[in-house]
Amino acid sequence: MKRLNHKNYLQMNITAKDVNELRKKTGAGMMDCKKALVESKGDIESAIDFLRKKGQKIAAKRGDREAKEGLVIAKSSGNSGYIVCLNCETDFVAKNNDFGNLANSLVDLAIDTNSSNIEDFMETNYPGSDISVSAKITEQSGVIGEKIEISAFEKINAEKVVAYNHPGNQIASLVGLTVDAEDEGKQVAMQVAAMNPIALDKDTVPQDVIDREIEIGKDLAIQEGKPVEMAEKIAKGRLNKFFKETTLINQSFIRDNKKTVGQFLKETNPELKVTDFKRYSLSI
């Protein structure tokens, strides 16, 4: 009769219940969980450490890989909202349910903990575990076998915050409002996602952006044959068109291009104003 070595004996004595318990705690695959339990002699906590170490090893190995795929998720609750972009290496992983659940759980955690910045958030304890968000991401990198990272972490505080996720979760936006107006806020958040404004209004456009537009306008005017001494005046005159196209309040409203976003808000409720907005896109 063939004698069982110690590892074979352990493999036979690792139960499905043990494997399922480890899988629920880590999200790792069944075979990975069984191997971890064998290596840790059936101890659940040691097996978790084993998978974490595996994740750290893979994450380090893949540190120079580019994580360009992923999901962008926006969520809001009351007077705060977050956008989180969780990246991976391949579209195949981005479409995986476990990856999607992880991305959503991170946004939920940001809301629950009211995290103020990415640094604090990464040190927050991940729910249902004794590890940080940073360690959880490292762990899941080992489970999935791809580099995983958070590339965007945006927050808005306002009297009312509305979130919008474009189908496919490649673009998401947040809008902060002065009053509770969910439907109108959703329409403005869709505007932000579609039209990608650079600022709220012309007064909030950075001066270096304005200066650059003036320089471009001057060059164009000269190329069009306008006198050099008139070029700057012409360029400044063209700024109004620039502001209309790139600032949220002055953009044509996508639901009715006969009015601006500002006019839409005023007609809806004179007290309704946008105080802030955020937008993030994986590809643009």
Side-chain angles (χ1 to χ4, degrees):
M1 182 187 298
K2 184 178 179 181
R3 293 188 63 185
L4 293 174
N5 62 32
H6 186 60
K7 183 169 283 191
N8 286 337
Y9 176 78
L10 281 170
Q11 285 177 338
M12 290 179 65
N13 285 275
I14 299 298
T15 67
K17 182 180 177 182
D18 292 333
V19 173
N20 281 327
E21 182 181 348
L22 182 58
R23 189 169 188 270
K24 285 179 181 178
K25 287 189 173 186
T26 65
M30 297 292 284
M31 295 307 296
D32 285 334
C33 287
K34 187 168 184 178
K35 180 180 178 182
L37 285 165
V38 171
E39 293 293 334
S40 59
K41 300 179 181 178
D43 183 79
I44 293 286
E45 294 305 317
S46 295
I48 291 172
D49 288 343
F50 176 85
L51 288 170
R52 286 177 63 192
K53 288 173 183 176
K54 180 186 175 188
Q56 290 164 353
K57 191 173 182 180
I58 290 177
K61 192 188 299 181
R62 291 179 170 269
D64 60 346
R65 299 288 294 272
E66 291 191 77
K68 291 184 175 180
E69 301 294 337
L71 298 173
V72 187
I73 310 288
K75 292 187 180 183
S76 63
S77 178
N79 61 4
S80 67
Y82 291 84
I83 294 177
V84 173
C85 179
L86 185 66
N87 290 96
C88 56
E89 294 177 35
T90 64
D91 184 55
F92 175 78
V93 167
K95 291 178 178 178
N96 181 277
N97 285 337
D98 289 341
F99 185 83
N101 291 337
L102 176 62
N104 277 280
S105 73
L106 292 173
V107 189
D108 291 337
L109 180 60
I111 290 174
D112 290 344
T113 57
N114 195 30
S115 299
S116 57
N117 55 65
I118 183 65
E119 291 78 18
D120 290 344
F121 180 67
M122 294 298 281
E123 296 306 313
T124 301
N125 190 70
Y126 187 80
S129 74
D130 60 353
I131 61 176
S132 67
V133 169
S134 177
K136 181 67 176 180
I137 291 173
T138 298
E139 173 192 274
Q140 289 304 297
S141 180
V143 171
I144 293 171
E146 287 193 6
K147 180 178 180 179
I148 299 175
E149 62 185 4
I150 294 177
S151 64
F153 185 89
E154 301 282 358
K155 180 184 182 182
I156 281 184
N157 284 323
E159 185 65 28
K160 173 68 176 179
V161 180
V162 180
Y164 171 73
N165 293 284
H166 192 68
N169 292 109
Q170 301 294 287
I171 302 173
S173 59
L174 293 171
V175 172
L177 306 171
T178 53
V179 298
D180 189 346
E182 182 76 28
D183 290 342
E184 292 79 6
K186 183 70 63 130
Q187 292 184 56
V188 176
M190 290 174 67
Q191 172 91 23
V192 170
M195 302 306 293
N196 193 17
I198 65 169
L200 184 59
D201 53 34
K202 67 179 184 179
D203 293 330
T204 57
V205 178
Q207 187 58 49
D208 63 320
V209 173
I210 294 174
D211 293 341
R212 187 169 67 248
E213 284 303 310
I214 290 174
E215 285 303 312
I216 292 171
K218 284 165 61 176
D219 288 344
L220 286 173
I222 292 170
Q223 289 175 34
E224 292 167 357
K226 304 294 192 296
V228 175
E229 58 272 17
M230 292 182 61
E232 184 164 354
K233 185 177 180 180
I234 293 170
K236 287 182 177 179
R238 287 174 173 169
L239 275 177
N240 287 331
K241 181 182 179 184
F242 173 75
F243 291 142
K244 181 174 177 57
E245 292 175 346
T246 62
T247 60
L248 178 59
I249 298 304
N250 296 300
Q251 284 181 337
S252 295
F253 185 40
I254 56 174
R255 299 288 292 271
D256 181 357
N257 60 19
K258 293 180 180 178
K259 63 181 72 172
T260 65
V261 173
Q263 289 170 333
F264 160 71
L265 294 170
K266 189 172 182 179
E267 289 173 9
T268 301
N269 181 348
E271 300 300 316
L272 177 59
K273 294 180 174 61
V274 176
T275 58
D276 197 3
F277 71 87
K278 299 289 184 184
R279 177 187 187 274
Y280 193 80
S281 169
L282 255 176
S283 57
I284 302 174

